[in-house]
Amino acid sequence: MSVLRTELCDLLGIPHPILQGGMGPYKTEDLAIAVSNAGALGVISTIGMAATLLPEAAPVDAKRMFGDDPPLVLLQKSIEAVTKATRSSRAIFGVNVPVASEFLIASQMFVKQVIEAREADSDTERQLRVIVTSAGNPKPWAKVKEHGLLWLHVVPSVYHAKKAESAGADVIIASGHEGGAHCAWDPVHSMVLVPAVARAVKTPVVAAGGFCDGASLAAALCLGAIGVQLGTRFIATKESDFQPVWKEAIIKREERQTLVARGLFGPMRFLRNNCAEKIVEQTLSDAPRFYLGDPVESNSAILKLEQQGFVDLMDGKEDTALMFGGEVTGRITDLPTVKQLVRSIIEEAASLLKTLPGNVLIR
Ligand SMILES: Cc1cc2nc3c(=O)[nH]c(=O)nc-3n(C[C@H](O)[C@H](O)[C@H](O)COP(=O)(O)O)c2cc1C
């Protein structure tokens, strides 16, 4: 297999410059194991965070989705499972904690849990090296570095990238508007955002939103990033914890089949179906309240639809399932294993970067 090393590999101690995005509130335990064992960075998501800690803001019935365990126990179990399944390969993994102001207390509890899990087990300490914060103010989270963690923070703009840099983030993840799930109010896509952020800060930048293959990894490197973060692409893999209906929906959709409507905190990109169209209608009819940004109000569209029976992830029906996903869904047509996917991304990017100079006349 080709070697394509960037600064990201050296910083995190991983062979390939690819991160799996956190995808809460869903479980990404099997996915993180497969991704880390494939030499990229697997990331545990904060499972059921909103659902169990703020039941009134939950998109779906928490117990039905996540069982009886409280979210901190779910996180601990995932940390133990991923440590165990990656121990022999000594693979590195991370945990994502959204730090939106609505969830600050929960975020603090999750971060504390990560720190304590590392202190309690030497394998976890060696392998769980990364924390990825997102969706909020970076400032309070620099302290994670004092506990030996590498700190990555997700931003949607140059303004927020500068804030993350002055807070001391080790890596900034610039996340374009085409990405799946929560996105910023301003629709700035990766093609503009990534090079703008890479020029504005000295901190290394990872590109997120719209990346899925070797061509897009090579493009990200040309735009000034040191690697890519993939969300939607990793859902459609054999090992991912997501339901078959979700994986199939990603494979079937073309690039125009996503919609942005109200999410838990701010806007969110959904795979287009009857459910997503209804969330858009509800978002438009509640627009003034939505823009005020109250967490429970912001979420009421999803809640109302659930009460009316429109939203039901558990029934596995493609038209009523609530599924987040990015525009890159239109570029995803298969269901590889994670290992096949990572290998094909690296091979394609390496081959493109090697052959490109021969295809361009430079005087
Ligand atoms: C189902 C789903 C759930 C997500 N949940 C989170 C989350 O909890 N925290 C976070 O930082 N990003 C979350 N994201 C964003 C991803 O981490 C990643 O940045 C994004 O999917 C990249 O864009 P892409 O979908 O085009 O690859 C989520 C994305 C998806 C598709």
Side-chain angles (χ1 to χ4, degrees), residues 48-298:
M49 175 160 167
T52 344
L53 292 171
L54 271 182
E56 72 281 14
V60 283
D61 179 0
K63 278 213 159 122
R64 224 157 38 98
M65 249 180 100
F66 307 110
D68 286 328
D69 280 339
L72 290 178
V73 174
L74 290 170
L75 176 61
Q76 180 59 28
K77 281 187 175 172
S78 260
I79 291 174
E80 284 167 16
V82 179
T83 303
K84 190 170 166 213
T86 55
R87 190 175 284 138
S88 59
S89 60
R90 297 196 155 213
I92 305 300
F93 67 95
V95 172
N96 166 238
V97 182
V99 294
S101 52
E102 293 87 345
F103 297 120
L104 269 190
I105 294 171
S107 311
Q108 277 157 1
M109 288 162 67
F110 280 110
V111 168
K112 189 163 167 271
Q113 181 75 23
V114 170
I115 292 166
E116 286 175 2
R118 291 181 82 245
E119 285 168 357
D121 182 84
S122 59
D123 290 331
T124 303
E125 187 182 20
R126 190 181 59 235
Q127 292 171 241
L128 199 184
R129 294 213 49 220
V130 177
I131 196 151
V132 184
T133 52
S134 54
N137 180 9
K139 221 170 169 186
W141 309 103
K143 60 184 178 207
V144 299
K145 291 169 65 166
E146 292 161 21
H147 296 271
L149 284 154
L150 285 156
W151 174 38
L152 284 51
H153 186 74
V154 183
V155 303
S157 71
V158 168
Y159 169 79
H160 293 96
K162 286 185 177 164
K163 274 180 83 170
E165 179 164 73
S166 56
D170 294 305
V171 174
I172 291 171
I173 303 176
S175 181
H177 204 256
E178 59 271 75
H182 278 107
C183 48
W185 293 104
D186 308 295
V188 181
H189 290 71
S190 296
M191 193 69 175
V192 169
L193 181 71
V194 174
V197 169
R199 279 200 187 169
V201 295
K202 290 195 178 68
T203 309
V205 173
V206 164
F211 300 91
C212 64
D213 58 3
S216 46
L217 168 58
L221 300 181
C222 292
L223 295 174
I226 58 166
V228 286
Q229 169 164 296
L230 275 47
T232 306
R233 173 64 270 193
F234 272 129
I235 294 178
T237 54
K238 290 227 164 67
E239 297 92 331
S240 103
D241 314 64
F242 287 78
Q243 293 198 342
V245 65
W246 199 324
K247 301 183 186 185
E248 283 153 25
I250 287 173
I251 291 168
K252 274 194 230 159
R253 271 168 186 64
E254 50 136 274
E255 77 284 358
R256 291 177 298 172
Q257 291 177 309
T258 68
L259 290 171
V260 174
R262 63 169 46 183
L264 293 178
F265 29 91
M268 200 166 209
R269 189 176 294 280
F270 299 90
L271 294 182
R272 186 172 193 139
N273 64 1
N274 188 23
C275 165
E277 282 165 10
K278 293 230 175 301
I279 298 172
V280 171
E281 273 170 36
Q282 198 87 52
T283 303
L284 291 175
S285 66
D286 285 353
R289 280 187 294 157
F290 181 41
Y291 281 91
L292 286 176
D294 175 79
V296 179
E297 270 308 320
S298 309

